[in-house]
Short mmCIF file of all heavy atoms in Angstrom, two decimals:
data_model
loop_
_atom_site.label_atom_id
_atom_site.label_comp_id
_atom_site.label_asym_id
_atom_site.label_seq_id
_atom_site.Cartn_x
_atom_site.Cartn_y
_atom_site.Cartn_z
N GLU B 28 123.80 126.66 66.49
CA GLU B 28 124.49 127.06 65.26
C GLU B 28 124.73 128.57 65.28
O GLU B 28 123.85 129.34 65.66
CB GLU B 28 123.66 126.67 64.03
CG GLU B 28 123.63 125.16 63.79
CD GLU B 28 122.89 124.81 62.51
OE1 GLU B 28 122.04 125.62 62.08
OE2 GLU B 28 123.16 123.74 61.95
N LYS B 29 125.93 128.97 64.86
CA LYS B 29 126.29 130.38 64.82
C LYS B 29 126.66 130.77 63.40
O LYS B 29 127.42 130.06 62.73
CB LYS B 29 127.48 130.63 65.76
CG LYS B 29 127.90 132.09 65.83
CD LYS B 29 129.06 132.27 66.81
CE LYS B 29 129.48 133.73 66.87
NZ LYS B 29 130.62 133.93 67.81
N LEU B 30 126.09 131.87 62.94
CA LEU B 30 126.37 132.35 61.59
C LEU B 30 127.71 133.10 61.60
O LEU B 30 127.88 134.09 62.31
CB LEU B 30 125.26 133.28 61.11
CG LEU B 30 125.40 133.83 59.69
CD1 LEU B 30 125.36 132.70 58.66
CD2 LEU B 30 124.29 134.85 59.40
N MET B 31 128.66 132.59 60.81
CA MET B 31 129.99 133.21 60.75
C MET B 31 130.00 134.37 59.76
O MET B 31 129.07 134.55 58.96
CB MET B 31 131.03 132.16 60.36
CG MET B 31 130.98 130.90 61.23
SD MET B 31 131.20 131.24 62.99
CE MET B 31 132.95 131.71 63.02
N LYS B 32 131.07 135.15 59.80
CA LYS B 32 131.19 136.31 58.92
C LYS B 32 131.22 135.92 57.45
O LYS B 32 130.79 136.68 56.58
CB LYS B 32 132.44 137.11 59.27
CG LYS B 32 132.34 137.84 60.60
CD LYS B 32 133.59 138.67 60.87
CE LYS B 32 133.47 139.44 62.18
NZ LYS B 32 134.70 140.26 62.45
N ASP B 33 131.75 134.74 57.16
CA ASP B 33 131.83 134.30 55.77
C ASP B 33 130.52 133.66 55.28
O ASP B 33 130.46 133.12 54.17
CB ASP B 33 132.99 133.32 55.57
CG ASP B 33 132.82 132.06 56.43
OD1 ASP B 33 131.79 131.94 57.14
OD2 ASP B 33 133.73 131.21 56.40
N GLY B 34 129.46 133.71 56.12
CA GLY B 34 128.15 133.18 55.71
C GLY B 34 127.93 131.72 56.03
O GLY B 34 126.85 131.18 55.76
N THR B 35 128.94 131.06 56.58
CA THR B 35 128.78 129.64 56.92
C THR B 35 128.21 129.51 58.34
O THR B 35 128.31 130.42 59.16
CB THR B 35 130.12 128.90 56.83
OG1 THR B 35 131.05 129.49 57.76
CG2 THR B 35 130.68 128.99 55.42
N LEU B 36 127.64 128.33 58.59
CA LEU B 36 127.10 128.04 59.91
C LEU B 36 128.08 127.14 60.67
O LEU B 36 128.52 126.12 60.16
CB LEU B 36 125.74 127.34 59.81
CG LEU B 36 124.55 128.21 59.37
CD1 LEU B 36 123.32 127.34 59.17
CD2 LEU B 36 124.26 129.30 60.39
N LYS B 37 128.39 127.54 61.88
CA LYS B 37 129.27 126.75 62.73
C LYS B 37 128.44 126.12 63.85
O LYS B 37 127.69 126.81 64.54
CB LYS B 37 130.36 127.62 63.32
CG LYS B 37 131.32 126.86 64.23
CD LYS B 37 132.39 127.78 64.82
CE LYS B 37 133.33 127.01 65.74
NZ LYS B 37 134.35 127.92 66.35
N GLN B 38 128.59 124.80 63.99
CA GLN B 38 127.85 124.11 65.05
C GLN B 38 128.68 124.10 66.34
O GLN B 38 129.85 123.74 66.33
CB GLN B 38 127.51 122.67 64.64
CG GLN B 38 126.54 122.00 65.60
CD GLN B 38 126.12 120.63 65.12
OE1 GLN B 38 126.90 119.68 65.20
NE2 GLN B 38 124.89 120.52 64.61
N ILE B 39 128.03 124.52 67.43
CA ILE B 39 128.70 124.61 68.72
C ILE B 39 128.06 123.60 69.66
O ILE B 39 126.83 123.57 69.82
CB ILE B 39 128.60 126.03 69.31
CG1 ILE B 39 129.20 127.05 68.34
CG2 ILE B 39 129.27 126.09 70.68
CD1 ILE B 39 128.97 128.49 68.74
N GLU B 40 128.88 122.77 70.28
CA GLU B 40 128.39 121.75 71.22
C GLU B 40 128.74 122.16 72.64
O GLU B 40 129.89 122.48 72.93
CB GLU B 40 128.99 120.39 70.90
CG GLU B 40 128.55 119.29 71.86
CD GLU B 40 129.21 117.95 71.55
OE1 GLU B 40 129.91 117.87 70.52
OE2 GLU B 40 129.03 117.01 72.34
N GLU B 41 127.74 122.15 73.52
CA GLU B 41 127.95 122.48 74.92
C GLU B 41 127.35 121.39 75.78
O GLU B 41 126.27 120.86 75.48
CB GLU B 41 127.30 123.82 75.28
CG GLU B 41 127.82 125.01 74.49
CD GLU B 41 127.07 126.28 74.87
OE1 GLU B 41 126.82 126.48 76.07
OE2 GLU B 41 126.71 127.03 73.96
N GLU B 42 128.03 121.07 76.87
CA GLU B 42 127.46 120.13 77.82
C GLU B 42 126.39 120.82 78.67
O GLU B 42 126.50 122.00 78.98
CB GLU B 42 128.55 119.58 78.75
CG GLU B 42 129.48 118.58 78.08
CD GLU B 42 130.38 117.89 79.09
OE1 GLU B 42 130.20 118.12 80.30
OE2 GLU B 42 131.27 117.14 78.65
N VAL B 43 125.35 120.06 79.01
CA VAL B 43 124.29 120.60 79.86
C VAL B 43 124.83 120.78 81.27
O VAL B 43 125.41 119.86 81.86
CB VAL B 43 123.07 119.65 79.87
CG1 VAL B 43 122.02 120.15 80.85
CG2 VAL B 43 122.49 119.54 78.47
N GLU B 44 124.66 121.98 81.81
CA GLU B 44 125.09 122.24 83.18
C GLU B 44 124.01 121.77 84.16
O GLU B 44 122.82 122.03 83.95
CB GLU B 44 125.35 123.73 83.38
CG GLU B 44 126.52 124.27 82.56
CD GLU B 44 126.79 125.72 82.84
OE1 GLU B 44 126.17 126.26 83.78
OE2 GLU B 44 127.62 126.32 82.13
N ASP B 45 124.42 121.11 85.21
CA ASP B 45 123.50 120.61 86.25
C ASP B 45 122.32 119.86 85.66
O ASP B 45 121.16 120.23 85.86
CB ASP B 45 122.99 121.77 87.11
CG ASP B 45 124.12 122.51 87.80
OD1 ASP B 45 125.07 121.84 88.25
OD2 ASP B 45 124.05 123.75 87.89
N PRO B 46 122.56 118.79 84.90
CA PRO B 46 121.44 118.03 84.32
C PRO B 46 120.64 117.34 85.41
O PRO B 46 121.15 117.01 86.49
CB PRO B 46 122.15 116.99 83.43
CG PRO B 46 123.50 116.83 84.06
CD PRO B 46 123.87 118.18 84.61
N LEU B 47 119.36 117.14 85.14
CA LEU B 47 118.52 116.41 86.08
C LEU B 47 118.99 114.97 86.21
O LEU B 47 119.50 114.38 85.25
CB LEU B 47 117.06 116.44 85.61
CG LEU B 47 116.36 117.81 85.64
CD1 LEU B 47 115.01 117.69 84.97
CD2 LEU B 47 116.21 118.30 87.06
N GLU B 48 118.80 114.41 87.38
CA GLU B 48 119.20 113.03 87.63
C GLU B 48 118.03 112.09 87.39
O GLU B 48 116.88 112.45 87.63
CB GLU B 48 119.69 112.86 89.07
CG GLU B 48 120.95 113.62 89.41
CD GLU B 48 121.37 113.38 90.86
OE1 GLU B 48 120.51 112.94 91.66
OE2 GLU B 48 122.54 113.62 91.17
N VAL B 49 118.34 110.88 86.94
CA VAL B 49 117.34 109.83 86.87
C VAL B 49 117.42 109.03 88.16
O VAL B 49 118.48 108.53 88.52
CB VAL B 49 117.57 108.92 85.64
CG1 VAL B 49 116.59 107.75 85.67
CG2 VAL B 49 117.41 109.71 84.35
N HIS B 50 116.29 108.93 88.86
CA HIS B 50 116.25 108.23 90.13
C HIS B 50 115.56 106.88 89.97
O HIS B 50 114.74 106.68 89.06
CB HIS B 50 115.48 109.05 91.18
CG HIS B 50 116.26 110.21 91.71
ND1 HIS B 50 116.03 110.76 92.95
CD2 HIS B 50 117.28 110.92 91.17
CE1 HIS B 50 116.87 111.76 93.16
NE2 HIS B 50 117.63 111.89 92.07
N THR B 51 115.90 105.96 90.85
CA THR B 51 115.26 104.65 90.90
C THR B 51 114.31 104.61 92.08
O THR B 51 114.70 104.94 93.21
CB THR B 51 116.31 103.54 91.04
OG1 THR B 51 117.18 103.57 89.91
CG2 THR B 51 115.64 102.17 91.11
N TYR B 52 113.06 104.24 91.80
CA TYR B 52 112.03 104.20 92.83
C TYR B 52 111.59 102.75 93.04
O TYR B 52 111.16 102.07 92.10
CB TYR B 52 110.84 105.07 92.44
CG TYR B 52 111.18 106.54 92.36
CD1 TYR B 52 111.58 107.12 91.16
CD2 TYR B 52 111.14 107.34 93.49
CE1 TYR B 52 111.92 108.46 91.09
CE2 TYR B 52 111.47 108.69 93.43
CZ TYR B 52 111.86 109.24 92.23
OH TYR B 52 112.20 110.57 92.17
N LYS B 53 111.72 102.30 94.29
CA LYS B 53 111.27 100.95 94.68
C LYS B 53 109.86 101.08 95.26
O LYS B 53 109.66 101.77 96.26
CB LYS B 53 112.22 100.34 95.69
CG LYS B 53 111.89 98.91 96.08
CD LYS B 53 112.27 97.92 94.98
CE LYS B 53 113.76 97.76 94.85
NZ LYS B 53 114.15 96.70 93.88
N ILE B 54 108.91 100.42 94.63
CA ILE B 54 107.50 100.55 94.99
C ILE B 54 107.03 99.25 95.64
O ILE B 54 107.12 98.18 95.04
CB ILE B 54 106.64 100.85 93.75
CG1 ILE B 54 107.13 102.12 93.07
CG2 ILE B 54 105.16 100.96 94.10
CD1 ILE B 54 106.74 102.23 91.62
N SER B 55 106.52 99.35 96.86
CA SER B 55 105.97 98.20 97.57
C SER B 55 104.46 98.39 97.71
O SER B 55 104.01 99.39 98.30
CB SER B 55 106.61 98.06 98.96
OG SER B 55 107.99 97.80 98.84
N VAL B 56 103.70 97.45 97.16
CA VAL B 56 102.24 97.52 97.17
C VAL B 56 101.71 96.44 98.11
O VAL B 56 102.02 95.26 97.93
CB VAL B 56 101.67 97.32 95.75
CG1 VAL B 56 100.15 97.41 95.77
CG2 VAL B 56 102.24 98.37 94.79
N PHE B 57 100.93 96.84 99.10
CA PHE B 57 100.41 95.93 100.11
C PHE B 57 98.92 95.71 99.90
O PHE B 57 98.12 96.65 100.00
CB PHE B 57 100.65 96.48 101.52
CG PHE B 57 102.10 96.62 101.89
CD1 PHE B 57 102.84 97.72 101.45
CD2 PHE B 57 102.73 95.65 102.65
CE1 PHE B 57 104.18 97.85 101.79
CE2 PHE B 57 104.07 95.77 103.00
CZ PHE B 57 104.79 96.88 102.56
N THR B 58 98.54 94.47 99.58
CA THR B 58 97.13 94.11 99.45
C THR B 58 96.61 93.70 100.83
O THR B 58 97.31 93.06 101.61
CB THR B 58 96.97 92.95 98.46
OG1 THR B 58 97.44 93.39 97.16
CG2 THR B 58 95.52 92.51 98.33
N GLY B 59 95.37 94.10 101.14
CA GLY B 59 94.79 93.84 102.46
C GLY B 59 94.59 92.36 102.75
O GLY B 59 94.50 91.54 101.83
N ASP B 60 94.50 92.04 104.03
CA ASP B 60 94.33 90.65 104.46
C ASP B 60 92.87 90.42 104.88
O ASP B 60 92.58 90.12 106.04
CB ASP B 60 95.28 90.34 105.62
CG ASP B 60 95.31 88.85 105.94
OD1 ASP B 60 94.78 88.05 105.13
OD2 ASP B 60 95.84 88.48 107.00
N ILE B 61 91.96 90.61 103.94
CA ILE B 61 90.55 90.34 104.17
C ILE B 61 90.02 89.51 103.00
O ILE B 61 90.65 89.44 101.94
CB ILE B 61 89.71 91.64 104.32
CG1 ILE B 61 89.77 92.48 103.03
CG2 ILE B 61 90.19 92.46 105.50
CD1 ILE B 61 88.88 93.71 103.09
N TYR B 62 88.86 88.91 103.20
CA TYR B 62 88.31 88.01 102.19
C TYR B 62 88.10 88.73 100.86
O TYR B 62 87.52 89.80 100.80
CB TYR B 62 86.97 87.44 102.68
CG TYR B 62 86.32 86.52 101.68
CD1 TYR B 62 86.78 85.21 101.51
CD2 TYR B 62 85.26 86.96 100.89
CE1 TYR B 62 86.19 84.36 100.59
CE2 TYR B 62 84.66 86.11 99.96
CZ TYR B 62 85.13 84.81 99.82
OH TYR B 62 84.55 83.98 98.90
N GLY B 63 88.61 88.13 99.77
CA GLY B 63 88.43 88.67 98.43
C GLY B 63 89.27 89.88 98.12
O GLY B 63 89.01 90.58 97.13
N ALA B 64 90.32 90.15 98.94
CA ALA B 64 91.09 91.39 98.77
C ALA B 64 91.92 91.42 97.49
O ALA B 64 92.19 92.48 96.95
CB ALA B 64 92.01 91.59 99.98
N GLY B 65 92.38 90.26 97.01
CA GLY B 65 93.27 90.22 95.85
C GLY B 65 92.58 90.53 94.54
O GLY B 65 91.36 90.39 94.41
N THR B 66 93.37 90.97 93.57
CA THR B 66 92.82 91.31 92.25
C THR B 66 93.61 90.63 91.14
O THR B 66 94.82 90.40 91.26
CB THR B 66 92.83 92.83 92.01
OG1 THR B 66 92.19 93.11 90.74
CG2 THR B 66 94.24 93.39 91.94
N ASP B 67 92.90 90.31 90.05
CA ASP B 67 93.53 89.79 88.84
C ASP B 67 93.66 90.88 87.77
O ASP B 67 94.21 90.63 86.70
CB ASP B 67 92.70 88.64 88.26
CG ASP B 67 92.60 87.46 89.21
OD1 ASP B 67 93.58 87.21 89.94
OD2 ASP B 67 91.54 86.80 89.25
N ALA B 68 93.14 92.06 88.06
CA ALA B 68 93.14 93.14 87.07
C ALA B 68 94.54 93.73 86.89
O ALA B 68 95.44 93.51 87.70
CB ALA B 68 92.15 94.23 87.50
N ASN B 69 94.71 94.51 85.84
CA ASN B 69 95.95 95.24 85.60
C ASN B 69 95.94 96.52 86.44
O ASN B 69 94.94 97.25 86.47
CB ASN B 69 96.08 95.60 84.12
CG ASN B 69 96.18 94.38 83.24
OD1 ASN B 69 97.05 93.53 83.43
ND2 ASN B 69 95.29 94.26 82.26
N VAL B 70 97.06 96.80 87.10
CA VAL B 70 97.16 97.94 88.01
C VAL B 70 98.11 98.98 87.42
O VAL B 70 99.17 98.63 86.87
CB VAL B 70 97.64 97.49 89.40
CG1 VAL B 70 97.88 98.70 90.31
CG2 VAL B 70 96.61 96.55 90.04
N PHE B 71 97.73 100.25 87.57
CA PHE B 71 98.50 101.35 87.01
C PHE B 71 98.76 102.40 88.09
O PHE B 71 97.90 102.64 88.95
CB PHE B 71 97.76 102.00 85.84
CG PHE B 71 97.43 101.03 84.73
CD1 PHE B 71 96.28 100.26 84.79
CD2 PHE B 71 98.29 100.88 83.65
CE1 PHE B 71 95.97 99.35 83.77
CE2 PHE B 71 97.99 99.98 82.63
CZ PHE B 71 96.83 99.22 82.70
N LEU B 72 99.92 103.04 88.03
CA LEU B 72 100.34 103.98 89.07
C LEU B 72 100.97 105.22 88.46
O LEU B 72 101.73 105.13 87.50
CB LEU B 72 101.36 103.29 89.99
CG LEU B 72 102.00 104.14 91.10
CD1 LEU B 72 100.98 104.47 92.18
CD2 LEU B 72 103.19 103.41 91.70
N ASN B 73 100.64 106.38 89.03
CA ASN B 73 101.31 107.63 88.68
C ASN B 73 101.79 108.26 89.98
O ASN B 73 101.02 108.42 90.93
CB ASN B 73 100.35 108.58 87.95
CG ASN B 73 101.09 109.75 87.27
OD1 ASN B 73 102.28 109.92 87.45
ND2 ASN B 73 100.35 110.55 86.52
N ILE B 74 103.08 108.61 90.05
CA ILE B 74 103.68 109.17 91.25
C ILE B 74 103.93 110.66 91.02
O ILE B 74 104.49 111.05 89.99
CB ILE B 74 105.02 108.48 91.57
CG1 ILE B 74 104.83 106.96 91.66
CG2 ILE B 74 105.60 109.02 92.87
CD1 ILE B 74 106.15 106.19 91.75
#
Side-chain angles (χ1 to χ4, degrees):
E28 289 184 336
K29 182 178 180 181
L30 182 63
M31 308 303 290
K32 289 183 178 180
D33 61 2
T35 61
L36 287 174
K37 180 181 179 181
Q38 190 175 74
I39 302 172
E40 178 182 354
E41 300 177 42
E42 287 190 5
V43 175
E44 295 183 7
D45 300 321
L47 292 172
E48 295 181 341
V49 175
H50 285 205
T51 299
Y52 295 93
K53 184 75 72 174
I54 302 158
S55 297
V56 180
F57 296 81
T58 298
D60 190 12
I61 62 175
Y62 179 77
T66 185
D67 298 325
N69 297 305
V70 174
F71 302 86
L72 176 70
N73 194 353
I74 306 171

